[in-house]
Amino acid sequence: MLQNSGSEEDVQVLMDQRKRKRMISNRESARRSRMRKQKHLDDLMAQMAELKKENNQIITSVNITSQHYMNVEAENSVLRAQADELSNRLQSLNEIASFLNASNGVFAAGDSSSFNEPTDSFFNPLNLSYLNQPIMASAAEMFHY
């Protein structure tokens, strides 16, 4: 009987040691797991900060590009208006030149003594000073501010 009780105590001590060993092993495993989880969380936080930084840089770049686009569009609108105005002026000048060329042919063939040239008339085709007025186009006129 003494031998049995001694061996039961030995078995109990052995089981307690195994239990303690398992408990220590489990605690160590749980600690490693927490450390891995914390490292993963830290990595994700660092990645999030980097992505936020990149996102802000992209937003800034898009805003700058949009502003440049708006400036170029406004400038193009002004230039288009100026080109249209210059085209209209050129067409008017060409019409006047055609009229003068046609008129010169008539006057040369006819009696020049009967032609009384108006002195300072708005309708005098030889007095083109009224056509020499500057034509301006501004962004405010183009966009009706």
Side-chain angles (χ1 to χ4, degrees), residues 7 18 25 33 49-50 86 113 119 130:
S7 86
R18 285 183 183 166
S25 176
S33 177
E50 184 63 30
L86 289 173
S113 63
T119 55
Y130 65 91

Side-chain angles (χ1 to χ4, degrees), residues 1 5-6 23 76 81 92 97 123 129 134 140:
M1 229 356 151
S5 68
M23 191 169 36
N76 279 347
S92 296
F123 297 106
S129 63

Side-chain angles (χ1 to χ4, degrees), residues 54-116:
E54 286 178 26
N55 194 35
N56 287 335
Q57 289 172 344
I58 290 170
I59 288 171
T60 300
S61 177
V62 165
N63 288 339
I64 290 170
T65 303
S66 295
Q67 187 60 46
H68 285 155
Y69 173 78
M70 298 285 284
N71 291 342
V72 168
E73 278 295 315
E75 186 178 350
N76 279 347
S77 293
V78 170
L79 291 173
R80 278 189 202 102
Q82 289 174 345
D84 287 345
E85 186 59 39
L86 289 173
S87 177
N88 290 338
R89 285 180 72 180
L90 179 61
Q91 182 180 357
S92 296
L93 290 173
N94 284 336
E95 289 172 2
I96 291 169
S98 295
F99 175 75
L100 289 177
N101 287 338
S103 297
N104 284 340
V106 170
F107 294 143
D111 183 11
S112 62
S113 63
S114 67
F115 176 70
N116 292 330

Side-chain angles (χ1 to χ4, degrees), residues 10 36 44 63 71 79 93 105 127 130-131 134 136 141:
D10 288 342
R36 278 194 309 271
L44 288 175
N63 288 339
N71 291 342
L79 291 173
L93 290 173
N127 182 11
Y130 65 91
L131 292 175
M136 299 292 208
E141 293 169 353

